[in-house]
Amino acid sequence: MAIRKQSHTHQKILILSSGGDSPGMNAAIRAVVRSGNYHGFETYACHDGYQGLIEQEIFTMNPSDVAGCIQRGGTILRSGRSKEFHKKETRDKVRAFLKRKNVEYLIAIGGDGTYRGATLLQDEGGPKTIGIPGTIDNDIVGTDYTIGYDTARNTAVNAIDKIRDTSASSGLYFLVETMGRHSGFLAVDVGLAGGAEFILTPEFPITIPTLAKRIMAPKRKKQSLIIVVSESDSPGRSFHIAQALKLLTPKFDYRVCVLGHIQRGGSPTTMDRITASIMGDMAIKGLMAGKSKCMTAMQSGKYLLMPFPDPNAPSRCLGNEDLIKLNSVLAT
Ligand code: F6P
């Protein structure tokens, strides 16, 4: 029989999810609530990220409140990006409210923006904070993996497999746009796993004339063609690329498929559920060990706590072109 530890009886934790939602966030919430309960904490939560704190609407989370959520996409706490929380006077009110409620710890699931908010709140005298990295972009400095990434890339690869069927049957050439903001992680993995002919990332751009030349290369005799395009800083850019390619390679017909928010939904993969469960428990243990202003992270296959990334540093980006080069060998 498991022995219940009660070392932190009645200390209060608040959990929230913030920024873009990602599959697996529910598994992390479940782990925080249940591991916290096991170790004697009282857990509270709010809806809609920092907006819920601004509205001063918090509620208790008991182990039974997270039953049946591990397999659900999105986040049962809902999420959001709050501009209001950037204001010091707003955070002052939140801090005073949390003090009145005796909330000593905050566990924030999200990305860079989420950590920036949590750091400011703690530095101004608010609760001690630990972050859990959740975003489909996999772009947080200090961790090789963020919760939701695996589900998103599987969703996108499933889509590419379907597009391949129609491309091979119709002879239409496709540009498939993935999310990922300024980082090409999703695009590269999805392109390689989907057998894409070309992969365009923000880190290693290819000019349109070069791409057109490669498409026209005499040794390319394939009926179907898929170009995976990372959205970069202009979602929808695939439409412009398709138009430009049509002008340079008029004998081909192009179609565009922007995968968009489909990549953010869906039941989390086993990898996302396990990673989220381990990280949720780690966050509780981190607080118990007196850690704060750090996030749960994975580096070279090992789990550890890392300081929050420098708020002024750019997001994590592809460090090398290795997989893009491999893809160009395998896609010929
Ligand atoms: O950061 C996650 C993400 O899905 C990015 O890949 C994408 O650029 C962005 O969020 C979309 O944001 P929104 O949901 O606000 O349109």
Side-chain angles (χ1 to χ4, degrees):
M1 204 216 290
I3 298 165
R4 295 184 70 80
K5 271 199 197 157
Q6 296 287 324
S7 51
H8 288 255
T9 308
H10 302 315
Q11 284 190 301
K12 290 182 184 168
I13 298 174
L14 187 127
I15 179 164
L16 56 78
S17 45
S18 157
D21 53 275
S22 68
M25 282 186 167
N26 285 328
I29 294 165
R30 173 180 178 269
V32 166
V33 171
R34 292 201 170 158
S35 175
N37 178 70
Y38 176 81
H39 291 287
F41 289 96
E42 266 180 54
T43 307
Y44 287 75
C46 65
H47 283 138
D48 306 318
Y50 292 114
Q51 191 57 35
L53 286 186
I54 295 169
E55 285 164 19
Q56 306 197 349
E57 282 178 11
I58 68 172
F59 46 88
T60 51
M61 287 290 277
N62 295 312
S64 60
D65 295 324
V66 289
C69 77
I70 194 167
Q71 77 281 11
R72 284 171 59 190
T75 155
I76 54 171
L77 296 181
R78 304 198 301 258
S79 192
R81 299 184 168 104
S82 170
K83 287 213 172 84
E84 188 61 28
F85 201 70
H86 296 185
K87 295 182 192 155
K88 167 107 172 43
E89 62 268 30
T90 304
R91 292 194 304 275
D92 286 345
K93 284 186 196 145
V94 165
R95 201 181 61 241
F97 166 69
L98 292 174
K99 211 163 205 108
R100 281 200 305 282
K101 295 285 179 186
N102 296 317
V103 172
E104 289 177 56
Y105 302 108
L106 172 69
I107 295 183
I109 310 174
D112 294 331
T114 306
Y115 303 155
R116 263 193 292 279
T119 303
L120 287 171
L121 195 63
Q122 176 166 342
D123 287 348
E124 290 159 2
K128 295 199 176 78
T129 303
I130 288 202
I132 299 178
T135 162
I136 64 163
D137 300 345
N138 203 24
D139 63 347
I140 300 179
V141 173
T143 182
D144 299 342
Y145 192 79
T146 62
I147 295 164
Y149 178 57
D150 187 53
T151 307
R153 63 187 177 177
N154 277 299
T155 301
V157 169
N158 279 333
I160 289 197
D161 291 348
K162 294 186 170 86
I163 289 167
R164 179 69 73 184
D165 291 344
T166 179
S167 180
S169 306
S170 62
L172 293 168
Y173 283 9
F174 279 85
L175 290 93
V176 181
E177 187 170 305
T178 58
M179 279 188 160
R181 273 192 215 269
H182 310 292
S183 304
F185 292 105
L186 257 184
V188 165
D189 282 9
V190 164
L192 187 61
E197 277 67 22
F198 301 102
I199 303 171
L200 307 189
T201 66
E203 296 92 336
F204 302 103
I206 307 173
T207 65
I208 309 267
T210 305
L211 183 58
K213 240 187 245 158
R214 291 186 192 165
I215 291 171
M216 298 287 281
K219 64 175 185 173
R220 282 212 75 263
K221 293 245 166 2
K222 287 187 184 172
Q223 154 88 349
S224 70
L225 181 127
I226 293 178
I227 305 166
V228 170
V229 181
S230 180
E231 65 176 359
S232 188
D233 53 4
S234 42
R237 73 185 182 117
S238 308
F239 288 99
H240 303 291
I241 298 173
Q243 266 174 4
L245 283 176
K246 179 71 186 165
L247 288 176
L248 294 172
T249 61
K251 68 174 184 163
F252 300 123
D253 268 339
Y254 295 91
R255 295 288 185 273
V256 172
C257 181
V258 177
L259 298 180
H261 289 75
I262 289 174
Q263 295 157 102
R264 287 235 302 251
S267 181
T269 58
T270 304
M271 173 156 181
D272 276 326
R273 296 181 201 195
I274 291 174
T275 309
S277 299
I278 292 172
M279 287 188 169
D281 177 62
M282 273 176 74
I284 294 290
K285 291 187 175 137
L287 291 178
M288 288 168 68
K291 305 276 186 204
S292 71
K293 286 205 277 184
C294 54
M295 64 173 184
T296 60
M298 188 195 278
Q299 283 187 358
S300 308
K302 291 205 168 73
Y303 290 96
L304 69 168
L305 287 173
M306 288 293 295
F308 277 155
D310 175 351
N312 302 312
S315 306
R316 191 170 84 98
C317 280
L318 285 174
N320 61 57
E321 234 177 324
D322 292 356
L323 291 183
I324 298 177
K325 285 189 179 146
L326 171 63
N327 193 65
S328 63
V329 171
L330 303 185
T332 46

